[in-house]
Amino acid sequence: MLESICRARDYTNRLLDGTSPSDWFRMPQEGVSHIAWQVGHLAFAQYSLALGRIRGKRPDDERLVSAAFLQKFGRASTPVGDPKAYPSGEEIRGVFDAIHRQVLEEISVLHDAVFDERTDSHSRFSTKGGSLTWCAEHEMMHAGQIGLLRRLLGQPPLW
């Protein structure tokens, strides 16, 4: 599971590293999305799926990600075209990277039995291992959206 999470993140990072920060908040057309929202949403999702559902939310998680950030990029959020409605791209990327580092640190020391434990109800999984599997799959789905956004902004595909 951890290998899949790392593989998905490596691909997402490759897309992001090949994208100008000036393109992060560009929407190819109104009502679509932008790269900044995708990255913020992936940070939210990785926190929720690989930390929150595995060991529960902790008070010191606020140092990783604020409640306002989680709300802005959560499951029910809608991307808006105004960059002023968001933290800076640099801040979003910082949260994205910090959560990933924390996930790697915590998941790497879990005993295999933890992966079979049940977790909060979700339509895609019922166990903690399933949550981690979906974490990687969900990131690849959004990496595809980032790739499409890049193409719509005139950038070449990256493999």
Side-chain angles (χ1 to χ4, degrees), residues 23-34:
D23 284 337
W24 271 44
F25 290 95
R26 289 182 55 203
M27 292 177 98
Q29 67 182 45
E30 195 61 36
V32 180
S33 184
H34 48 72

Side-chain angles (χ1 to χ4, degrees), residues 2 5 43-58 60-65 70 95-108 110 114 119-120 128 131-132 135:
L2 192 56
I5 289 172
F44 157 82
Q46 191 171 63
Y47 170 76
S48 299
L49 294 166
L51 296 175
R53 287 181 181 269
I54 304 305
R55 47 85 156 153
K57 295 180 180 179
R58 297 179 180 161
D60 65 337
D61 285 348
E62 185 75 21
R63 68 179 174 76
L64 280 176
V65 59
L70 293 173
V95 171
F96 175 79
D97 291 339
I99 289 171
H100 187 67
R101 284 191 302 271
Q102 189 68 30
V103 167
L104 296 180
E105 182 180 312
E106 291 189 27
I107 300 305
S108 67
L110 292 177
V114 171
T119 189
D120 297 340
K128 292 179 179 184
S131 183
L132 294 172
C135 183

